[in-house]
Amino acid sequence: MAAAWPAGRASPAAGPPALLRTLWLVTVAAGHCGAAASGAVGGEETPKCEDLRVGQYICKEPKINDATQEPVNCTNYTAHVQCFPAPNITCKDLSGNETHFTGSEVGFLKPISCRNVNGYSYKVAVALSLFLGWLGADRFYLGYPALGLLKFCTVGFCGIGSLIDFVLISMQIVGPSDGSSYIIDYYGTRLTRLSVTNETFRKTQLYP
């Protein structure tokens, strides 16, 4: 008569098959996970050319309009320059086609900021303010006829107003009345105003 196996313990004969089944399930699960991971890596979507990192492309200098001294095709304070992905870079071009670049093909157009000008020259405004400011010629030229007439009648506010206007125009604080910008050489002495906003990082000054 065979002795009964104590309750709560597995039979020795049942042990190896159960262990083998467990190992088989772990192996199958690992195989599925590996296949899914390799499929995800192999099926990675090709990035757009405009999403390339710095150093993976180079952009041309903007073509400057001789009359306005601003980039050609400047519209709504924005112009575009051609950018060329580096050789052996694969990305989606302007048409959305996946392209392997050699370094000579245009990959995308990069937007750059430009200014709105309307024919007012900075050099002319400064010259008028320096030599004919006491007659109000600078204010007439910039589109402020009332102030120009007042300066003409008061001889430039006895010279004080002419001096103040010359400083303000030279520092580009006073500009054309229509809100446009001066025509200044593209690589000339432009004034860039920096404003403090919530996105501006202000570093606390440390004193020794």
Side-chain angles (χ1 to χ4, degrees), residues 12-41:
L19 180 60
L20 290 176
R21 285 196 300 270
T22 304
L23 292 176
W24 178 78
L25 290 173
V26 171
T27 304
V28 172
H32 282 300
C33 292
S38 61
V41 173

Side-chain angles (χ1 to χ4, degrees), residues 125-138:
V126 172
L128 289 176
S129 181
L130 178 62
F131 298 106
L132 298 176
W134 58 279
L135 293 176
D138 50 355

Side-chain angles (χ1 to χ4, degrees), residues 61-121:
E61 288 290 331
K63 185 178 180 181
I64 305 303
N65 188 322
D66 293 335
T68 63
Q69 285 298 304
E70 292 296 324
V72 176
N73 298 326
C74 176
T75 305
N76 294 329
Y77 302 95
T78 304
H80 295 82
V81 293
Q82 296 179 341
C83 294
F84 302 83
N88 298 324
I89 292 290
T90 301
C91 59
K92 293 182 179 179
D93 58 13
L94 294 171
S95 303
N97 300 322
E98 184 175 330
T99 307
H100 186 75
F101 290 88
T102 61
S104 59
E105 303 91 350
V106 178
F108 65 99
L109 300 178
K110 182 180 180 180
I112 60 173
S113 60
C114 57
R115 305 181 312 154
N116 177 34
V117 296
N118 198 20
Y120 296 96
S121 171

